[in-house]
Amino acid sequence: MAVPLTFTSGKPPFSATPSQLTNNLSLPLTLVPIIRSKTHVSKHLIITNAAAATSHSHSHSHSHKAFVVSRFGPDEPRKGSDVLVEALERQGVTNVFAYPGGATLEIHQALTRSTIIRNILPRHEQGGVFAAEGYARASGLTGVCISTSGPGATNLVSGLADALLDSVPIVAITGQVPRNMIGTDAFQETPIVEVSRSITKHNYLVLNVQDIPRIVHEAFFLASSGRPGPVLIDIPKDIQQQLVVPNWNEQQQQQQQPMRLAGYISRLPKPPNETHLQQIVRFIKESKRPVLYVGGGCMNSSDELGRFVELTGIPVANTLMGLGTYPGSHDLSLHMLGMHGTVYANYAIDKSDLLLAFGVRFDDRVTGKIEAFASRAKIVHIDIDPAEIGKNKQPHFSICGDIKAALQGLNKILERGKKNLDFSPWKEEVMNRKASNPLSYKTFGDAIPPQYAIQVLNELTGGNAIITTGVGQHQMWSAQFYKYNRPRQWLTSAGLGAMGFGLPAAIGAAVARPDAVVVDIDGDGSFMMNVQELATVRVENLAVKMMVLNNQHLGMVVQWEDRFYKANRAHTYLGNPAKESDIFPNMLKFAEACDIPAARVTRKGDVRTAIQKMLDTPGPYLLDVIVPHQEHVLPMIPAGGGFNDIITQGDGRTQRNPILSDKDTKSS
């Protein structure tokens, strides 16, 4: 006998059996309870497509859709804001990061009527959009943030730009002044569609309330298909208030209105041609010194990548975005390449005769002097975005397509072919370089080397924590000294380099993955930029651990001052000049103000105990780790330099002379 399900709603509850509901759907169904918080499980059950819910593919994560029984009768009018919230529910959304205002009052009222969607209230809209990114990066699903018009919308700009550069699927919803007031310079009016046009994958201004179901459906598809990115939906207040009976297109047994994206869909990459894949295999067989250069595009293809490396024995160098796509603990991992990459990764790239560039974009922080980058190598480039092929570095052979499908095809060819690949002399050469040039640091008395604190955290968490960061020296040390073995373990603002990303991203990660240990490794400068989100951490009772590497300076800019500007300090000291001996500001007071346990550690000998206490304390915890500001991130290839310019020695204690001439120090 089928067990009846009761669906709670604003209307009297009604019952239906799973079989009755299934008769109207062609998808395999499973019942999923929606977890609203650690202490509350909603009685409202939704039905999701099980296959879609577990999919983390570039082109399929948008399919995380839910069969939702509406709170309204089929012909019952409801506000546009209620239509929006139900449209989000139908996309499988269970968490949003929304900060209310005049132009989104209706949306927030509608959210209170939802038994499926939980709002995590940030304390700043930038915190909300970074949290939505953290949620998306940690889960592979599309993150959702909501803000009001005008300043609320413009506070999303950094997050939208960050999501575009790092290919993160988010849908940002903004309120807008009523339609008849658009263009009149009304109170809190900003043309956010125009403002965000160049930093979103697509955006919408909703002018017809009947379009809301279709636009939401399209926005989630656009955000998560092809090369993922941010999509913005701007909704005027009168549209939110307008009464309507929405057309969900259910008479065609679909949950969504048809999309009007024929042009976009026709341009989505097709499956790779086997002839092209066979050509890549031929290149591999002809080479003597091949290297894999792997980026964030491989985030959903780590299993296929691992199998490819197993079949070929080719060493792997990762970009900052690509960390975790191949296990950092594996012998064939060369860890990170680029400006602050390992000597051995950059050596391998420089000496290679075949560069397999998978899911990467030849960013300037990776390549340095573009003509000198992999100058001896034949370059094979596979990427899902046609705009990236040949944009910065012209490949000898390229495929525009999904790297997951390409790797699956390559693996099939390799598996059925003769296993005559042997790169052992090259592997031995690279491993010797790896052994002779390890990442290292120096210790000065009782002072805490920041690298040591990260190493200890790596040991005590077994390398299994989700790590978020701000931007600067601590970010690079976290990339170097924490060993990432899984995708979606490393969440950082890579392309945009947005300070203040770490704490809100950790909030999003903790919401997406309540089972995981989430640690924000931050710098004092970055941490201060969104310190108000401590309130969100406390109120939502999120077990976010914060390890602030506090050197009282803007560390990375100080490093450049030391190296290239004769150590002249140009507004990079963040402490109180009147009391230089004090730690300022006192991070522990911020934590105390938000009722979060906190401690400070100043001696190397106390670090292990302090980090263990942070990890053992239930709920959130802030650990203020005082580190010397003279420490430099090494190795370092100066901007515009090549492998031969790599710096491996020196710090702020010894480095007082410029390495480069003024003409070479244009930007950091």
Side-chain angles (χ1 to χ4, degrees):
M1 176 181 170
V3 180
L5 300 175
T6 299
F7 294 82
T8 61
S9 71
K11 306 291 288 179
F14 68 95
S15 296
T17 63
S19 59
Q20 288 170 328
L21 294 170
T22 310
N23 289 338
N24 294 320
L25 287 171
S26 58
L27 298 173
L29 301 176
T30 184
L31 296 178
V32 179
I34 300 304
I35 308 299
R36 290 180 61 76
S37 73
K38 288 191 174 180
T39 57
H40 174 69
V41 179
S42 171
K43 293 178 183 175
H44 189 129
L45 292 174
I46 62 171
I47 296 176
T48 67
N49 177 346
T54 57
S55 170
H56 284 173
S57 150
H58 264 192
S59 53
H60 295 102
S61 58
H62 62 271
S63 322
H64 179 70
K65 298 194 176 66
F67 180 82
V68 176
V69 178
S70 177
R71 294 182 293 280
F72 299 89
D75 298 318
E76 183 182 358
R78 77 291 313 254
K79 289 184 175 182
S81 56
D82 286 299
V83 176
L84 172 68
V85 169
E86 186 171 330
L88 293 175
E89 292 172 350
R90 286 167 179 255
Q91 292 295 327
V93 173
T94 55
N95 296 282
V96 298
F97 303 86
Y99 198 88
T104 52
L105 270 167
E106 293 287 352
I107 295 173
H108 281 264
Q109 289 296 310
L111 284 170
T112 66
R113 295 188 281 272
S114 172
T115 55
I116 293 174
I117 298 177
R118 166 193 179 192
N119 181 36
I120 294 86
L121 178 68
R123 269 34 181 195
H124 189 289
E125 291 90 354
Q126 187 181 91
V129 66
F130 283 161
E133 276 199 86
Y135 180 91
R137 291 173 190 248
S139 68
L141 302 173
T142 300
V144 179
C145 60
I146 304 173
S147 76
T148 192
S149 62
T154 55
N155 279 341
L156 300 180
V157 164
S158 294
L160 295 172
D162 187 65
L164 187 73
L165 280 169
D166 287 355
S167 307
V168 180
I170 63 170
V171 170
I173 297 166
T174 53
Q176 184 54 277
V177 299
R179 284 173 296 178
N180 64 346
M181 298 177 72
I182 292 176
T184 67
D185 293 334
F187 178 65
Q188 290 193 332
E189 181 193 359
T190 298
I192 194 62
V193 164
E194 302 304 322
V195 170
S196 66
R197 192 178 300 283
S198 61
I199 52 168
T200 51
K201 188 174 178 183
H202 193 58
N203 55 28
Y204 293 91
L205 174 61
V206 181
L207 295 174
N208 186 333
V209 68
Q210 288 282 10
D211 289 340
I212 291 175
R214 173 183 59 82
I215 285 173
V216 170
H217 184 198
E218 289 181 6
F220 276 79
F221 179 79
L222 288 166
S224 57
S225 59
R227 179 178 180 176
V231 177
L232 181 133
I233 306 174
D234 196 27
I235 311 179
K237 188 167 184 177
D238 62 317
I239 294 278
Q240 298 170 35
Q241 294 170 326
Q242 190 174 339
L243 290 174
V244 66
V245 176
N247 172 20
W248 299 110
N249 208 50
E250 287 175 329
Q251 61 273 25
Q252 278 82 35
Q253 295 187 4
Q254 296 180 25
Q255 275 282 287
Q256 314 291 341
Q257 288 187 14
M259 296 186 294
R260 300 177 187 171
L261 297 172
Y264 172 80
I265 291 170
S266 71
R267 291 194 302 274
L268 285 174
K270 307 296 185 286
N273 185 309
E274 181 159 345
T275 307
H276 296 160
L277 298 179
Q278 286 171 341
Q279 179 63 55
I280 294 173
V281 172
R282 278 197 291 275
F283 286 149
I284 294 170
K285 288 179 177 177
E286 291 165 3
S287 70
K288 303 285 186 216
R289 301 184 303 280
V291 175
L292 275 156
Y293 156 37
V294 174
C298 293
M299 195 61 65
N300 301 314
S301 315
S302 58
D303 291 343
E304 291 81 3
L305 176 65
R307 179 63 179 148
F308 180 80
V309 176
E310 187 184 331
L311 290 166
T312 60
I314 298 174
V316 182
N318 281 115
T319 67
L320 185 66
M321 281 295 296
L323 292 173
T325 55
Y326 187 75
S329 57
H330 198 286
D331 280 351
L332 284 171
S333 173
L334 304 179
H335 305 118
M336 188 171 71
L337 79 161
M339 176 178 281
H340 293 297
T342 61
V343 170
Y344 42 91
N346 287 316
Y347 172 86
I349 297 290
D350 189 60
K351 302 299 181 188
S352 67
D353 65 357
L354 176 65
L355 185 69
L356 300 174
F358 290 175
V360 293
R361 60 189 182 89
F362 291 87
D363 174 70
D364 63 287
R365 281 297 193 263
V366 164
T367 63
K369 187 177 181 180
I370 195 76
E371 315 86 66
F373 181 75
S375 56
R376 302 170 175 82
K378 187 175 289 181
I379 295 174
V380 173
H381 191 186
I382 304 179
D383 198 86
I384 203 162
D385 184 357
E388 295 298 347
I389 306 288
K391 185 178 82 174
N392 295 327
K393 183 86 172 174
Q394 194 64 45
H396 297 82
F397 190 84
S398 64
I399 294 177
C400 180
D402 188 338
I403 187 65
K404 191 181 188 79
L407 281 168
Q408 287 168 345
L410 288 168
N411 291 345
K412 283 180 184 174
I413 295 169
L414 290 164
E415 283 165 352
R416 68 173 180 249
K418 293 177 182 176
K419 293 189 178 179
N420 55 356
L421 297 175
D422 181 12
F423 302 116
S424 46
W426 168 237
K427 181 184 173 185
E428 184 180 350
E429 181 183 340
V430 173
M431 291 305 118
N432 287 340
R433 182 63 68 144
K434 189 174 180 179
S436 60
N437 295 98
L439 291 168
S440 61
Y441 56 88
K442 295 177 181 177
T443 300
F444 295 86
D446 285 336
I448 301 171
Q451 305 95 322
Y452 172 72
I454 295 166
Q455 265 187 341
V456 171
L457 179 69
N458 183 56
E459 289 172 28
L460 294 180
T461 57
N464 289 318
I466 291 177
I467 303 296
T468 71
T469 72
V471 170
Q473 287 182 314
H474 71 276
Q475 177 190 30
M476 294 297 104
W477 286 318
S478 299
Q480 291 176 338
F481 288 91
Y482 200 99
K483 300 308 175 195
Y484 304 93
N485 291 316
R486 300 188 318 278
R488 309 201 175 281
Q489 214 190 328
W490 163 246
L491 319 181
T492 195
S493 174
L496 190 67
M499 291 175 67
F501 179 83
L503 178 55
I507 289 171
V511 171
R513 294 281 311 279
D515 57 311
V517 176
V518 179
V519 184
D520 169 27
I521 302 176
D522 228 324
D524 50 315
S526 281
F527 189 72
M528 284 287 292
M529 285 203 174
N530 272 313
V531 71
Q532 76 283 341
E533 299 307 324
L534 284 170
T536 304
V537 170
R538 175 73 283 165
V539 169
E540 299 290 340
N541 197 30
L542 300 170
V544 173
K545 313 299 182 184
M546 296 152 275
M547 189 169 84
V548 179
L549 303 179
N550 188 346
N551 64 3
Q552 298 282 282
H553 288 74
L554 272 175
M556 187 59 87
V557 187
V558 164
Q559 176 170 333
W560 282 67
E561 287 175 341
D562 287 344
R563 293 282 175 180
F564 312 128
Y565 296 95
K566 302 180 182 178
N568 181 46
R569 295 288 171 260
H571 322 117
T572 48
Y573 175 58
L574 299 178
N576 182 356
K579 297 181 180 178
E580 283 198 27
S581 60
D582 292 354
I583 302 298
F584 177 88
N586 186 343
M587 298 292 177
L588 307 187
K589 296 289 187 183
F590 287 128
E592 183 186 344
C594 293
D595 194 25
I596 291 174
R600 175 177 291 158
V601 59
T602 59
R603 296 163 52 88
K604 185 185 178 188
D606 299 330
V607 167
R608 185 173 294 270
T609 303
I611 292 177
Q612 190 64 63
K613 183 180 179 185
M614 173 183 77
L615 296 171
D616 290 343
T617 302
Y621 192 97
L622 189 151
L623 182 62
D624 193 21
V625 184
I626 307 304
V627 299
H629 72 271
Q630 297 96 336
E631 203 64 44
H632 283 188
V633 179
L634 296 173
M636 178 182 182
I637 297 177
F643 175 68
N644 292 333
D645 303 309
I646 198 164
I647 301 167
T648 58
Q649 299 293 325
D651 58 23
R653 301 171 185 89
T654 60
Q655 193 63 49
R656 287 291 184 270
N657 298 313
I659 297 286
L660 302 178
S661 63
D662 288 343
K663 68 182 175 62
D664 292 322
T665 59
K666 292 175 183 173
S667 74
S668 65

